[in-house]
Amino acid sequence: MRLAFCQPFGYPSLRKGKNSLVSKISQTLANAKTVPPQAQTHPGSFAKESSIAIPKFIGEYRVDGLLGKGGMGYVYSAFDPNLQRKVAIKTILPTLATDEEIVERFLREARMVAQLSSDSICHIYSLGRLPESDLPYFVMEFIEGTSLQEKLHNSGTFAAVAAVEIIKEAATALNIAYEKGIIHRDIKPANIMIELNGSVKVTDFGLAKLVEGGQELTGKDVIVGTPHYMAPECALGEKCDHRADIYSLGATLFHMVAGRVPFDGPSALSVLNKHANSPIPPLREINASVPQRLVTIVERMLAKKPEDRFSNYDELLAAFGEFERKALIAEEPTVAIAKPKAKPRNLVPFLLVLPLMCAIAFCLYPKDEAPQVVERPTIKPTVVTVAASPERGKTSIPADVQ
């Protein structure tokens, strides 16, 4: 849902008697000036169904199908015969072609985005008008991939590190735009595309404005954006700067890790009221696996007052970098103590060689000679006969013994 309506509404300080917050929002909706929404499907993602009569050609480009449609115009898939490549073409509704303000906003989007040179921003190739109707159109990059909105619809939530990586790339793209004096003003999952290779691209600058020197094409106090991701100051119709885009990025990041938007309600009135006044729902009560360090970053991005948020994208990107560094350090001990499984030894070669080794050892081992038996000489015992002499005290010893 995309709205643009006039009259400011909102902060608690404005609640005085009949001028309460609710009465101001109700008056805003009653006096609303609606800006037609942009096509909700983006280059590279085909619309599932359509009863629209699709033209065969737009200028020199052959039209292959409808990618998206909205209250302001259509986005087609087409083929460039000169460069032999697929492109996306954005047109304006014929019924709106007579509205000079809408036509100027449409043409300004193409001119602004064409100034930006970044792989994270959908490129604009050319701008033209149909000769038969003077209907404006611009040709842009065809993105092979899906929107973050589709990813969330399919997966529900993202892991913290994966979510930060996507939002970090989107923030880098928005920083490049801001350096050129451009504020997006409608950041949401539907306007963040994820290519097949995982790269991130920011699309749909239809509600963007120039920070300095640019004519504001939405009237005074007109509110533009998508309620579920809109910064409080934008909801109040006050001046919005790059910190409003940071808020919208924070709401998108909240949605990615929580699986739901930070504020919801039965109507745009109730949602905008919560953005302006309600505290941020406790993120870890919704998803306990979200690290506290990331909760701190998200809460600062979603601060009610712009001065309480990150003052610029450099600060935000530094905070994301620190989060990723600490997340990596937290995983290192697990990696360090994990020992690789020992590979089982192959004993077959050893068993084959073992008999050969034993045979060689047997041949080379020195053999002992048979032990010689030495015969000892036999000594005959000598028998001595002692004869007693008649004479007392004399003994006769044979002569052969003496």
Side-chain angles (χ1 to χ4, degrees):
M1 182 178 185
R2 185 182 305 214
L3 305 176
F5 29 77
C6 52
Q7 302 297 329
F9 54 91
Y11 286 125
S13 59
L14 296 178
R15 300 176 183 174
K16 294 180 180 179
K18 294 181 180 180
N19 293 327
S20 66
L21 176 64
V22 174
S23 65
K24 283 183 176 292
I25 296 178
S26 299
Q27 182 182 0
T28 297
L29 293 176
N31 299 329
K33 175 184 178 182
T34 303
V35 173
Q38 307 292 314
Q40 293 301 303
T41 308
H42 298 282
S45 177
F46 279 92
K48 294 183 178 179
E49 58 179 70
S50 173
S51 58
I52 299 170
I54 300 175
K56 292 183 178 180
F57 287 90
I58 295 178
E60 61 186 2
Y61 303 95
R62 185 193 74 219
V63 177
D64 295 330
L66 180 70
L67 292 174
K69 59 180 179 178
M72 191 171 181
Y74 306 115
V75 180
Y76 298 99
S77 167
F79 181 76
D80 183 343
N82 295 323
L83 297 178
Q84 295 289 300
R85 65 181 177 182
K86 295 180 73 173
V87 296
I89 300 178
K90 189 171 186 177
T91 67
I92 196 171
L93 287 174
T95 55
L96 299 177
T98 56
D99 189 320
E100 294 183 2
E101 180 180 314
I102 291 178
V103 171
E104 182 58 31
R105 180 184 296 110
F106 180 86
L107 297 175
R108 186 187 64 168
E109 176 188 358
R111 293 174 183 137
M112 283 194 305
V113 178
Q115 300 175 31
L116 306 177
S117 178
S118 170
D119 291 337
S120 297
I121 297 175
C122 185
H123 297 151
I124 302 295
Y125 296 144
S126 64
L127 180 65
R129 288 178 180 266
L130 295 177
E132 62 273 14
S133 62
D134 201 36
L135 194 70
Y137 69 88
F138 60 80
V139 183
M140 55 186 173
E141 175 185 7
F142 183 89
I143 302 174
E144 296 280 359
T146 58
S147 71
L148 178 57
Q149 177 175 283
E150 293 175 81
K151 292 277 189 181
L152 282 169
H153 177 74
N154 294 332
S155 63
T157 60
F158 281 73
V161 174
V164 166
E165 184 61 30
I166 292 172
I167 297 300
K168 187 174 71 171
E169 287 195 48
T172 301
L174 292 174
N175 190 32
I176 292 172
Y178 177 63
E179 289 174 349
K180 292 287 186 178
I182 299 172
I183 300 170
H184 192 286
R185 296 201 298 178
D186 195 23
I187 289 297
K188 57 184 178 180
N191 288 340
I192 298 175
M193 295 291 295
I194 303 175
E195 296 184 275
L196 296 179
N197 63 3
S199 299
V200 174
K201 285 185 181 289
V202 175
T203 66
D204 199 349
F205 281 76
L207 296 182
K209 76 169 185 176
L210 294 173
V211 179
E212 296 179 356
Q215 180 184 3
E216 181 61 62
L217 296 180
T218 50
K220 183 180 179 181
D221 293 333
V222 170
I223 301 168
V224 293
T226 303
H228 286 107
Y229 307 93
M230 190 186 298
E233 64 271 24
C234 297
L236 292 166
E238 297 177 351
K239 182 179 179 180
C240 300
D241 57 21
H242 62 286
R243 292 171 296 182
D245 283 348
I246 289 177
Y247 183 96
S248 298
L249 273 180
T252 300
L253 179 54
F254 185 103
H255 189 172
M256 292 176 73
V257 295
R260 46 155 281 193
V261 292
F263 302 111
D264 201 2
S267 65
L269 175 99
S270 61
V271 173
L272 295 173
N273 182 13
K274 291 177 181 178
H275 273 291
N277 298 285
S278 298
I280 305 167
L283 188 50
R284 285 176 61 84
E285 289 184 10
I286 302 172
N287 184 355
S289 67
V290 179
Q292 182 58 45
R293 294 187 302 274
L294 183 56
V295 173
T296 302
I297 294 174
V298 172
E299 288 178 347
R300 186 175 175 186
M301 295 175 74
L302 291 176
K304 302 297 183 188
K305 297 180 180 179
E307 57 269 25
D308 292 335
R309 299 173 204 150
F310 294 95
S311 61
N312 53 55
Y313 288 105
D314 290 336
E315 282 189 10
L316 177 60
L317 292 171
F320 282 147
E322 182 68 9
F323 168 79
E324 290 179 321
R325 186 185 68 82
K326 289 183 177 180
L328 183 61
I329 292 175
E331 293 178 359
E332 282 182 354
T334 303
V335 175
I337 62 175
K339 295 182 179 180
K341 293 183 179 179
K343 295 182 179 180
R345 295 181 179 180
N346 188 359
L347 299 178
V348 173
F350 177 75
L351 294 175
L352 292 176
V353 174
L354 181 61
L356 179 61
M357 294 175 62
C358 292
I360 294 173
F362 180 77
C363 294
L364 296 179
Y365 191 80
K367 300 180 178 60
D368 294 336
E369 295 181 0
Q372 297 179 354
V373 180
V374 180
E375 294 183 1
R376 293 182 180 180
T378 303
I379 303 173
K380 286 185 175 184
T382 303
V383 180
V384 179
T385 302
V386 180
S389 174
E391 297 181 8
R392 184 179 295 262
K394 290 184 181 182
T395 302
S396 176
I397 299 176
D400 57 347
V401 178
Q402 290 182 353

